[in-house]
Each structure stands twice: as structure tokens, then as C-alpha cells.
Amino acid sequence: MKALLLIDLQIDFLPGGALAVPRGDQVISVANRRMPDYSCVVATQDWHPADHKSFASQHPGHRVGDIVEVDGIEQILWPDHCVQGTRGAEFAPGLNVASIRRVVRKGIDPNLDSYSGFFDNARRGSTELKNYLRSRGMDEVDVMGLATDYCVKSTVLDALDLGFRTTVIAEGIRAVNLYEGDQQRALDQMRAAGATIA
Ligand code: VGL
Ligand code: ZN
């Protein structure tokens, strides 16, 4: 049984948003077109408190793109984004949210970032995603959303690690590309770990 995972299809990741992913808006129609093919559609939602430690605003003297250490792990600093309850954290306008069976929120702990829909970046804690998928009898996941080089990649690598057969929907992903080549490196890494890029 195969589930569709929609990663962070939120206003702040679309053009004009706080952490805009170039051409991120183009994947919304892909999600809408694909959803009817699955009995189980799960969406993740980046859901940060206003003082989240992944925000450059919480590190005086640092700028967006800097890398700092937070609680012993490396953290890239981002603009404030997907703050709980704000418009930027809402799902993209036009996304067919009625077809989403379950929403999994992540990045809630102010001191820990969580790119993956399964675990935080330090792997100290997990979301309900794995148990939810297993309880629904899912052993396979198709993954799409934003952004290829962060949350999609981390979710795909964790899904493979947890034993899900995993396919990346190539037309449904877009990358931040903080550094040139990040998108290609992310695709290579996912493929090397066992993902099918379709
Ligand atoms: C994401 C950076 C920070 C993502 C979330 O959804 O890929 N990237 N928070
Ligand atoms: Zn985030």
C-alpha cells in the first residue's frame, strides 16, 4: 500500500513568501493532480514558534545562510518562516486540502530544527508519521513538495531508513539551491540511498 507525502506546501515557501523556493508554486497543481490516485495522503507542515533557533533573528550578529551550532548540531540560519498561526504557515492557496487525510507538524521545539517529516535533525524525537503510515498499512511512499534540498531530501532518506519503498515525484519538487548544485546533489544522494526518482 502506497501513501503520498506532501512536504511543506506552505505559503512561506512559495514565491513572495519568507523563505521562497524558486518556482515552488508550480508543484501545487502537481499535488492536486496526483492526490486522487492515493487512499492515504499525508501533508507535513513546518510549524515553528516565533523564537525558533533556526531563525537568523535569534542569533544577533549572524545572518541568513550562516551556519551556527545549536545544542551540539549544525544549524543553517533561515529567515523567520512558517511561524505557528501566521498566514505564511498556512497551506498554499489552491492546494486541495480536502484530500489530505493527515497533517504532521514539525519544527515545533524551539531548540531543534526538523527538516524530515519523521525525525528532528538531531534524531532525538520523532513525529507521529511513521506510526500513522504503518497503522494505515502503508509500506511504500511517493514524496513531493518543498524543498528538494532540505525537507524533501531528509524525509526521503528517513523513509528509506525506516524501510519504506520510496519514490520521489520529480515534477513535484523544487530546490532552494543556497549553493549551486544543491538540487543535483540532493537527487544523487536520494538515488544512492535507494530512492526511485520518477
Ligand atoms: C525547509 C528550510 C527550513 C523546507 C524548512 O521545507 O525544506 N527548509 N525549514
Ligand atoms: Zn523551517
Side-chain angles (χ1 to χ4, degrees):
M1 292 273 280
K2 186 155 69 170
L4 177 65
L5 304 187
L6 303 176
I7 307 303
D8 298 3
L9 297 179
Q10 294 166 266
I11 291 173
D12 269 343
F13 296 121
L14 304 182
L19 209 176
V21 179
R23 299 177 295 126
D25 53 324
Q26 295 176 352
V27 307
I28 305 306
S29 60
V30 178
N32 289 339
R33 177 157 39 83
R34 298 266 179 160
M35 282 194 264
D37 298 340
Y38 300 82
S39 61
C40 181
V41 178
V42 182
T44 65
Q45 203 172 22
D46 216 32
W47 195 250
H48 298 309
D51 62 350
H52 197 258
K53 286 293 202 307
S54 73
F55 297 166
S57 62
Q58 300 303 304
H59 302 267
H62 283 282
R63 293 185 301 174
V64 169
D66 285 355
I67 296 174
V68 300
E69 209 178 280
V70 177
D71 266 10
I73 63 163
E74 277 193 359
Q75 174 69 54
I76 304 175
L77 297 181
W78 301 106
D80 292 18
H81 66 278
C82 297
V83 173
Q84 297 170 7
T86 64
R87 176 170 158 76
E90 289 172 16
F91 286 118
L95 180 67
N96 179 14
V97 292
S99 296
I100 297 169
R101 285 285 88 84
R102 178 90 175 201
V103 175
V104 172
R105 289 175 167 169
K106 63 188 180 61
I108 295 168
D109 183 330
N111 294 307
L112 261 180
D113 210 357
S114 189
Y115 294 149
S116 161
F118 292 99
F119 302 102
D120 63 67
N121 290 1
R123 277 209 172 217
R124 289 186 193 138
S126 59
T127 66
E128 67 275 27
L129 182 54
K130 179 189 81 169
N131 287 342
Y132 177 71
L133 292 171
R134 293 263 157 81
S135 74
R136 294 284 313 270
M138 301 295 147
D139 54 5
E140 210 173 317
V141 291
D142 287 355
V143 185
M144 61 157 286
L146 306 171
T148 310
D149 35 358
Y150 295 95
C151 293
V152 170
K153 180 180 84 172
S154 294
T155 301
V156 164
L157 296 179
D158 281 345
L160 289 163
D161 200 43
L162 290 168
F164 293 97
R165 270 180 58 187
T166 305
T167 299
V168 179
I169 299 173
E171 66 167 345
I173 58 175
R174 295 291 184 278
V176 177
N177 281 322
L178 207 52
Y179 302 98
E180 201 185 313
D182 279 353
Q183 164 174 286
Q184 193 55 48
R185 275 189 290 276
L187 288 169
D188 291 346
Q189 213 180 329
M190 292 189 280
R191 200 181 289 109
T196 302
I197 315 289

